[in-house]
Amino acid sequence: MSKVTVHDKTFGVFIKREEILRRVAEVAARINEDYKVLNPLFLCILNGSFIFAADLFRCITIDAEISFIKLASYKGTSSSGNVVTAIGMEEDLHGRHVVIVEDIIDTGKTLHSFLPEIEHRHPASVKIATFLTKPSALKHDIKADYTCFEIENKFVVGYGLDYDKLGRNLPDLYILDEG
Ligand code: 5GP
Ligand code: MG
């Protein structure tokens, strides 16, 4: 399928599943190398990262653990704006090597608001693995340690990412058709 319709919008195929899997395996190989004896904890941010997390984790060959959390944002009392907190975090992060698994870093706002919550739990280290980044949309000082693809500032869907709740099941990544 080179075109799909999700709700009212048309998307064209952007990155094929085979290329995605090749790249995910490359990133996993780097993580295998970097975390050899550290038993990292992959902390995956739902919902968007679930497909990426599954493919990435299957390529991890060292001892590693995985857990899934949802983020909820609420208005903080300080001037720092929204606070993002984790729902379903049962893991003790103290002394752990944490790899946050995200679907996409767009403005960086989500991770910028959430990282303090992680640091607060005194992990030994925190790194970020993301399927996508949009460098030209970035507004916060967030840098991914492992990125599969850097893309232009356009809306994408598929491979776990949704457009108004639909499209997550598309195996390839699609980009919004303009014009
Ligand atoms: P942030 O701006 O905080 O870095 O990203 C916020 C969230 O916006 C992401 O986790 C993702 O859910 C959503 N998002 C940003 N860009 C896209 C995109 O191109 N497609 C989809 N489906 N979601 C996006
Ligand atoms: Mg997300």
Side-chain angles (χ1 to χ4, degrees):
M1 270 189 301
S2 67
K3 296 273 178 197
V4 294
T5 301
V6 182
H7 292 296
D8 56 334
K9 296 202 188 322
T10 308
F11 295 81
V13 74
F14 182 46
I15 309 176
K16 299 278 288 178
R17 172 153 174 81
E18 299 72 40
E19 191 185 342
I20 291 173
L21 290 181
R22 250 195 324 271
R23 181 64 190 141
V24 170
E26 282 175 10
V27 166
R30 281 183 50 212
I31 296 176
N32 285 329
E33 198 55 38
D34 293 351
Y35 285 87
K36 261 177 198 156
V37 295
L38 299 177
N39 185 19
L41 172 63
F42 288 73
L43 207 53
C44 312
I45 302 185
L46 295 173
N47 293 328
S49 78
F50 79 113
I51 303 264
F52 171 50
D55 282 342
L56 182 75
F57 201 63
R58 264 179 292 204
C59 295
I60 296 299
T61 52
I62 55 171
D63 279 353
E65 297 172 29
I66 190 165
S67 190
F68 296 83
I69 56 170
K70 274 208 170 203
L71 298 185
S73 131
Y74 61 92
K75 204 99 193 109
T77 48
S78 72
S79 58
S80 60
N82 276 12
V83 179
V84 172
T85 188
I87 300 172
M89 182 117 80
E90 281 152 16
E91 260 60 40
D92 181 6
L93 301 189
H94 193 272
R96 298 299 307 267
H97 294 277
V98 174
V99 180
I100 294 175
V101 180
E102 254 288 27
D103 53 354
I104 184 165
I105 298 175
D106 182 26
T107 64
K109 182 169 183 280
T110 306
L111 284 181
H112 174 79
S113 314
F114 175 59
L115 282 178
E117 165 118 354
I118 296 280
E119 296 291 354
H120 187 70
R121 292 163 189 253
H122 305 291
S125 70
V126 182
K127 283 191 182 179
I128 300 166
T130 186
F131 174 53
L132 302 170
T133 59
K134 291 180 178 174
S136 65
L138 196 64
K139 292 199 181 98
H140 296 270
D141 184 23
I142 291 292
K143 181 141 181 26
D145 301 279
Y146 307 97
T147 302
C148 292
F149 300 98
E150 291 190 348
I151 64 168
E152 57 193 310
N153 191 8
K154 286 189 182 170
F155 193 79
V156 291
V157 64
Y159 197 69
L161 290 100
D162 72 310
Y163 166 43
D164 196 12
K165 300 189 178 167
L166 293 183
R168 294 193 197 274
N169 50 327
L170 294 165
D172 306 300
L173 187 70
Y174 287 81
I175 195 160
L176 184 63
D177 257 358
E178 283 162 15

